[in-house]
Amino acid sequence: MYEYPLTPEQLYFYELQKNFPSYPLCNGYSMLFKLHDWVDMKKVSDSLVKTAQAHPACLSLVEEMGGTPYQKYVPDLVTDVKIEKLSEAEFQSMINDLVQPFNSCVEPPFKVRLFETEAGKYFFFDSNHIFSDGFAKINFSQDLGKIYFGKEVERDNWFSYLEERERSKTMPHYLESKKYYEDFYGGTDWSMYPKPDYEIDIEAITETLHFDENILFRNSEFNVSDLEVLKEYNLTYNEFFSIVSLLSMSTFNNAENVLNTWIYKGRWKKSHHNIVGNMIIEMPFALKLKGMSLNQIFKSIREQVKGNLLHRDYSYISLDEEIGDKYILCSFYQADIYELIYNELFEKLVADFHSSANIFDFSVKNDGDKFSFILEYLPDMYKLGSIEKFADIFAETADKVLKAMRENKCDFEAWF
């Protein structure tokens, strides 16, 4: 039996779910697929067990010892996946109840359920964010397909990664990284998320997050081709949307100093690429906008990306006392994760269920030739009118930045 401390990112999710056990805050990318008619359900069941056995995080629980949570490897945690046979009507009536909060102390990190009705075969796929991220779900799904068709899958190095994270704390660079973040981001009263309409005790929440897809850019056409100009400025999609997020929040809050976070998926070594586990690291982007031109903003963000990646061994957002206990808007750019999770067994995506651990955030998905946006917010803290206002500011800001880039006017005008 192996036991390892939770990483700072895992600990954040664990404490969140522990404090709000009735909310599915740690359910990451819950999805329901219809399988092809030719799929052998017993073979899928056996393949799911073998897939879990190839990835130690899938066979892990959280156990508190002396008040401190550890992740514990339990080899026989997943030994069978039952095939649930029921009528199509019964199945349809239970779809909205499939997503349930995880209890990481007793439940496997991956919830996989197989259903068979007279109308089809279905696969429900959910994961606990303590032990999984979007990249992990892609790896799990692809390995499931490989194992089903008789291919070998190597056991991943999840525990080696955890050992690396622990060892890094004893290295001189860890303290250097801590100092880097404190020097760059400390000592400033940052505006970190859109001002809410209601000041409430978070423990008094009565509603879960509300999700609006495509509310962002509802008044603006926005396609992938529009971002061709980014190449001329050496900006990535992630950097561009983070910049627009910061500028939009500055306008919405009338704030000069703004800070958001962005998600780095944490796989910077070849040996990490097949790992199923939560390896995300939340990193800060911040701007002191007084007098800054767009070109200065672009330069600052590029430098922050380099600095944050160099100092990724210290989890500043989770560990800093001034930042770690505050809400921060997170902008998350990704390719179409639903498309990447597909394997040859899946005929189509029947339903996806969103969840988020923030009171306000949004993700940007690249669907190939266009972008889709999911904006997530807590109705107990925001009116719909305020959310629509922020969405419109975001669209207007993106259009304004792109126009300045295309017309080579990024040097001339201060933003704030």
Side-chain angles (χ1 to χ4, degrees), residues 38-94:
W38 51 260
V39 168
D40 183 328
M41 295 292 274
K42 179 62 169 64
K43 194 172 178 181
V44 174
S45 174
D46 294 341
S47 299
L48 283 167
V49 175
K50 291 178 181 177
T51 304
Q53 291 171 345
H55 300 291
C58 298
L59 305 177
S60 298
L61 298 174
V62 177
E63 182 177 88
E64 291 197 14
M65 293 179 283
T68 301
Y70 290 83
Q71 46 198 310
K72 179 177 68 173
Y73 177 63
V74 184
D76 59 353
L77 186 61
V78 179
T79 58
D80 183 37
V81 178
K82 292 182 173 59
I83 301 166
E84 303 175 53
K85 296 188 177 183
L86 65 171
S87 71
E88 182 69 16
E90 290 173 320
F91 174 66
Q92 293 296 330
S93 69
M94 65 182 292

Side-chain angles (χ1 to χ4, degrees), residues 303-322:
E303 289 175 348
Q304 288 179 64
V305 170
K306 293 177 183 177
N308 289 347
L309 292 179
L310 178 63
H311 297 285
R312 60 182 175 259
D313 49 339
Y314 184 78
S315 300
Y316 177 70
I317 294 296
S318 299
L319 295 176
D320 183 80
E321 292 182 1
E322 292 184 6

Side-chain angles (χ1 to χ4, degrees), residues 292-310:
M292 287 188 79
S293 69
L294 276 175
N295 270 333
Q296 290 171 329
I297 289 170
F298 299 158
K299 180 181 178 182
S300 175
I301 292 298
R302 287 193 298 262
E303 289 175 348
Q304 288 179 64
V305 170
K306 293 177 183 177
N308 289 347
L309 292 179
L310 178 63

Side-chain angles (χ1 to χ4, degrees), residues 210-276:
H210 184 71
F211 304 89
D212 276 312
E213 193 152 4
N214 293 320
I215 189 173
L216 289 172
F217 296 98
R218 63 197 179 115
N219 295 328
S220 173
E221 293 295 326
F222 202 79
N223 297 313
V224 172
S225 60
D226 294 322
L227 296 194
E228 285 295 314
V229 70
L230 297 189
K231 296 176 184 177
E232 300 175 24
Y233 292 83
N234 296 315
L235 288 173
T236 66
Y237 288 166
N238 187 64
E239 290 165 350
F240 171 76
F241 286 115
S242 294
I243 288 168
V244 174
S245 169
L246 287 164
L247 296 179
S248 301
M249 196 171 67
S250 171
T251 300
F252 189 88
N253 289 354
N254 190 29
E256 175 182 336
N257 301 321
V258 287
L259 182 147
N260 290 173
T261 64
W262 59 289
I263 300 296
Y264 179 69
K265 298 182 180 67
R267 287 156 177 83
W268 57 81
K269 290 186 178 180
K270 187 176 181 180
S271 60
H272 291 167
H273 286 184
N274 71 327
I275 289 179
V276 169

Side-chain angles (χ1 to χ4, degrees), residues 104-120:
S104 55
C105 297
V106 298
E107 288 183 304
F110 279 74
K111 286 182 185 176
V112 286
R113 296 178 68 179
L114 296 173
F115 301 96
E116 188 168 3
T117 77
E118 74 276 9

Side-chain angles (χ1 to χ4, degrees), residues 176-213:
E176 293 172 12
S177 297
K178 183 175 185 290
K179 185 176 186 304
Y180 160 81
Y181 284 114
E182 290 174 345
D183 288 349
F184 202 105
Y185 300 101
T188 298
D189 183 17
W190 300 107
S191 183
M192 290 189 276
Y193 65 98
K195 291 178 181 177
D197 296 301
Y198 311 110
E199 294 293 340
I200 67 165
D201 183 347
I202 196 67
E203 294 183 5
I205 290 175
T206 60
E207 298 184 71
T208 55
L209 286 162
H210 184 71
F211 304 89
D212 276 312
E213 193 152 4

Side-chain angles (χ1 to χ4, degrees), residues 7-198:
T7 66
E9 294 77 23
Q10 288 181 295
L11 185 60
Y12 166 80
F13 285 111
Y14 174 72
E15 291 179 343
L16 185 77
Q17 192 63 73
K18 184 178 178 181
N19 290 335
F20 304 101
S22 62
Y23 291 92
L25 297 178
C26 291
N27 298 58
Y29 306 107
S30 311
M31 286 170 280
L32 176 64
F33 292 97
K34 185 176 183 183
L35 302 173
H36 288 289
D37 290 340
W38 51 260
V39 168
D40 183 328
M41 295 292 274
K42 179 62 169 64
K43 194 172 178 181
V44 174
S45 174
D46 294 341
S47 299
L48 283 167
V49 175
K50 291 178 181 177
T51 304
Q53 291 171 345
H55 300 291
C58 298
L59 305 177
S60 298
L61 298 174
V62 177
E63 182 177 88
E64 291 197 14
M65 293 179 283
T68 301
Y70 290 83
Q71 46 198 310
K72 179 177 68 173
Y73 177 63
V74 184
D76 59 353
L77 186 61
V78 179
T79 58
D80 183 37
V81 178
K82 292 182 173 59
I83 301 166
E84 303 175 53
K85 296 188 177 183
L86 65 171
S87 71
E88 182 69 16
E90 290 173 320
F91 174 66
Q92 293 296 330
S93 69
M94 65 182 292
I95 285 179
N96 290 331
D97 296 321
L98 287 175
V99 178
Q100 297 295 327
F102 277 91
N103 184 338
S104 55
C105 297
V106 298
E107 288 183 304
F110 279 74
K111 286 182 185 176
V112 286
R113 296 178 68 179
L114 296 173
F115 301 96
E116 188 168 3
T117 77
E118 74 276 9
K121 302 170 182 178
Y122 302 93
F123 172 58
F124 176 66
F125 193 22
D126 203 355
S127 63
N128 187 338
H129 224 331
I130 297 172
F131 292 100
S132 173
D133 54 26
F135 204 108
K137 290 199 78 167
I138 293 169
N139 285 343
F140 186 100
S141 176
Q142 292 177 348
D143 285 352
L144 171 63
K146 291 176 185 177
I147 290 173
Y148 181 92
F149 291 106
K151 298 179 181 178
E152 293 293 322
V153 170
E154 293 185 5
R155 182 181 171 88
D156 76 38
N157 294 316
W158 170 241
F159 294 134
S160 296
Y161 166 76
L162 295 176
E163 289 167 357
E164 286 179 35
R165 292 292 301 271
E166 281 300 296
R167 280 199 303 271
S168 71
K169 297 177 183 177
T170 66
M171 303 296 180
H173 190 260
Y174 188 78
L175 292 179
E176 293 172 12
S177 297
K178 183 175 185 290
K179 185 176 186 304
Y180 160 81
Y181 284 114
E182 290 174 345
D183 288 349
F184 202 105
Y185 300 101
T188 298
D189 183 17
W190 300 107
S191 183
M192 290 189 276
Y193 65 98
K195 291 178 181 177
D197 296 301
Y198 311 110

